[in-house]
Amino acid sequence: MSTAILAGIARTDEPKTMLRRFLALDAVVTLFNGLVYLVAPEEVGRLIGVDGGFLLGLGIFLALFGVAVGALAGRRQPAALAVKTVIELNLLYGIVSIASVVLWFDPSTAGAVWIPLQGLVVAAFALLQISALRARDAR
């Protein structure tokens, strides 16, 4: 991904700031998603056709992961290894989300749209983060 495209998305041409912004956006979206699953696992489960108990567990993980990514985003110079770990977990989550619709879940129509869509969003965060990390480390 070109630095110009990243700069447009992040609204800055400073790679370190780009990376922190992409991490912060990931943290906010992940934490929000986790909190929704924590607050209303049964209701969301009925809507998307997934067990509420599973969503409760996923909500705990997502909330904790969102807080951790937010803490990383708050660092002046996020450590490359920690950022790479976030990227790898995001890619894994994206792949598992998409595969789960075919392999494990029998979701409702809303779930068949939501589950892969949120997986693609998480994978997009990973791509933005790796591009920004590469740009930062190239300087």
Side-chain angles (χ1 to χ4, degrees):
M1 192 172 297
S2 81
T3 305
I5 293 171
L6 288 175
I9 296 169
R11 300 191 184 273
T12 181
D13 60 355
E14 173 55 44
K16 183 170 41 172
T17 304
M18 281 182 215
L19 179 58
R20 292 178 65 215
R21 286 183 181 173
F22 294 145
L23 288 168
L25 179 61
D26 183 0
V28 168
V29 171
T30 301
L31 181 59
F32 179 79
N33 197 23
L35 291 175
V36 168
Y37 292 165
L38 282 172
V39 170
E42 296 301 325
E43 294 82 355
V44 175
R46 278 193 298 277
L47 177 66
I48 66 174
V50 174
D51 179 67
F54 173 80
L55 290 180
L56 181 62
L58 182 59
I60 292 167
F61 169 77
L62 291 175
L64 293 173
F65 186 70
V67 169
V69 174
L72 184 61
R75 293 182 174 253
R76 193 163 185 263
Q77 180 81 3
L81 181 59
V83 174
K84 288 177 184 177
T85 301
V86 168
I87 291 165
E88 290 170 1
L89 288 171
N90 279 342
L91 288 172
L92 179 63
Y93 187 88
I95 291 166
V96 170
S97 293
I98 293 166
S100 71
V101 173
V102 176
L103 300 175
W104 302 295
F105 296 137
D106 184 21
S108 66
T109 302
V113 172
W114 172 251
I115 296 167
L117 179 63
Q118 56 92 33
L120 289 171
V121 168
V122 172
F125 285 147
L127 295 176
L128 289 170
Q129 291 158 355
I130 197 154
S131 297
L133 180 63
R134 286 179 179 161
R136 183 195 76 177
D137 292 348
R139 282 198 168 180

